[in-house]
């Protein structure tokens, strides 16, 4: 799997948008970008994933650059409950050798302040 | 629908003892994964079952760890004998069959089992 690079930590004010960047410059054409988060004392939680188009769901938006070497996860209106470690993961699609497991990095610790 | 459940939530054992962790995946999920986070480290993949077969066990640290998934339902992870470095949080996750749309390959994680080896 391609390696990802994320900032160690970020802060965000409650109600503001949280923009979490991720660099994945070695991503290959058949690899997706996934985002998970882990709230303290819970298991990781899926947020969103994408290949090359921007994606949006009820939790977040994912913006992937045209060259696919980086992406940004956007939480449009961060709340205190969004305080968590956010993981950007590159994962092969069905048929590849890495489509099963998730390879977690250090992630970004997002702290949302009142 | 019920989520992934793990038992026990905490386990404290002495070095040399045996511990068995259990994971009940979401009903109907063929894929079951084990991960662990040891102190200060990243979450690491251990192994992946597809139904009752081991698809990928490349992350299993050594032969003290034995995972089973008889009947393709729940899974157990046995550590025998436990060592100090086995302390950490063990997560189980499950997902739909990978033959479906990739969107369904989202892995749903359980709350984890915190293992402490003294």
């Amino acid at each position: 799997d391609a390696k990802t690079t994320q900032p160690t930590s970020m802060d965000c004010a409650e109600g503001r948008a949280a923009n979490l960047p991720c660099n994945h410059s070695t991503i290959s054409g058949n690899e997706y970008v996934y985002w998970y988060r882990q709230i303290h004392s819970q298991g990781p939680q899926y947020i969103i994933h994408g290949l090359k188009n921007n994606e949006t769901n009820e939790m977040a938006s994912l913006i992937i650059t045209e060259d696919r070497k980086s992406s940004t996860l956007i939480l449009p209106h961060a709340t205190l409950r969004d305080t968590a470690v956010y993981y950007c993961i590159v994962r092969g699609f069905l048929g590849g050798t890495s489509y099963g497991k998730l390879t977690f990095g250090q992630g970004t610790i997002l702290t949302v302040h009142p | 629908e019920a989520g992934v459940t793990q038992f026990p939530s905490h386990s404290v054992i002495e070095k040399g003892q045996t511990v068995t962790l259990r994971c009940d995946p979401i009903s109907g999920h063929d894929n079951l994964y084990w991960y662990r986070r040891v102190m200060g480290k990243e979450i690491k993949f251990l192994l992946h079952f597809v139904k009752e077969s081991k698809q990928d066990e490349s992350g299993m640290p050594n032969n003290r760890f034995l995972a089973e998934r008889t009947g393709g339902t729940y899974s157990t992870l046995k550590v025998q004998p436990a060592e100090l470095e086995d302390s950490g949080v063990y997560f189980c996750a499950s997902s739909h069959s990978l033959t479906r749309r990739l969107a369904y390959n989202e892995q749903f994680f359980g709350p984890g089992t915190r293992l402490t080896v003294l």
Side-chain angles (χ1 to χ4, degrees):
Chain A
D1 293 331
K3 182 178 173 57
T4 63
T5 304
Q6 299 177 251
T8 301
S9 63
M10 294 183 66
D11 290 336
C12 178
E14 187 178 20
R16 303 296 295 269
N19 297 280
L20 291 88
C22 178
N23 181 285
H24 33 79
S25 58
T26 60
I27 192 170
S28 62
N30 65 351
E31 290 181 317
Y32 282 72
V33 179
Y34 279 75
W35 284 82
Y36 279 73
R37 73 179 181 183
Q38 186 179 19
I39 297 171
H40 183 63
S41 298
Q42 298 181 20
Q45 177 191 24
Y46 167 83
I47 301 172
I48 198 167
H49 76 279
L51 182 62
K52 56 183 178 181
N53 297 320
N54 297 338
E55 302 287 345
T56 296
N57 63 20
E58 65 278 4
M59 290 182 69
S61 294
L62 175 61
I63 308 297
I64 302 174
T65 58
E66 191 170 345
D67 63 8
R68 304 209 319 123
K69 293 184 177 182
S70 65
S71 60
T72 300
L73 177 74
I74 300 172
L75 307 178
H77 305 287
T79 70
L80 299 180
R81 289 176 296 179
D82 291 321
T83 293
V85 181
Y86 286 77
Y87 298 98
C88 171
I89 298 169
V90 170
R91 184 183 183 210
F93 80 126
L94 180 63
T97 59
S98 61
Y99 64 87
K101 64 184 178 184
L102 295 171
T103 301
F104 290 85
Q106 296 283 8
T108 295
I109 301 171
L110 175 68
T111 303
V112 180
H113 298 284
Chain B
E1 102 190 323
V4 176
T5 58
Q6 294 187 243
F7 181 82
S9 58
H10 294 82
S11 180
V12 180
I13 62 173
E14 294 191 351
K15 176 182 173 181
Q17 290 186 320
T18 297
V19 63
T20 300
L21 313 181
R22 173 171 170 143
C23 168
D24 285 80
I26 293 172
S27 178
H29 281 191
D30 290 337
N31 296 279
L32 187 149
Y33 308 83
W34 283 98
Y35 296 84
R36 76 171 180 177
R37 183 205 293 274
V38 296
M39 182 70 74
K41 302 288 187 179
E42 302 160 1
I43 298 172
K44 292 289 189 183
F45 165 81
L46 295 178
L47 88 159
H48 169 201
F49 283 100
V50 177
K51 297 183 180 179
E52 67 275 10
S53 300
K54 292 175 183 176
Q55 177 73 24
D56 180 358
E57 51 184 328
S58 61
M60 294 289 266
N62 52 61
N63 59 10
R64 295 186 294 103
F65 288 75
L66 175 64
E68 295 181 324
R69 192 184 182 197
T70 306
T73 55
Y74 71 91
S75 175
T76 58
L77 180 65
K78 179 189 289 187
V79 185
Q80 180 182 27
E83 297 290 344
L84 299 179
E85 64 264 24
D86 300 331
S87 295
V89 182
Y90 289 75
F91 294 104
C92 174
S94 71
S95 70
H96 279 288
S97 169
L98 292 174
T99 58
R100 296 190 182 199
R101 282 179 52 217
L102 186 64
Y104 289 106
N105 299 150
E106 165 189 353
Q107 293 186 20
F108 295 85
F109 282 78
T113 293
R114 180 172 296 277
L115 174 64
T116 302
V117 182
L118 303 175

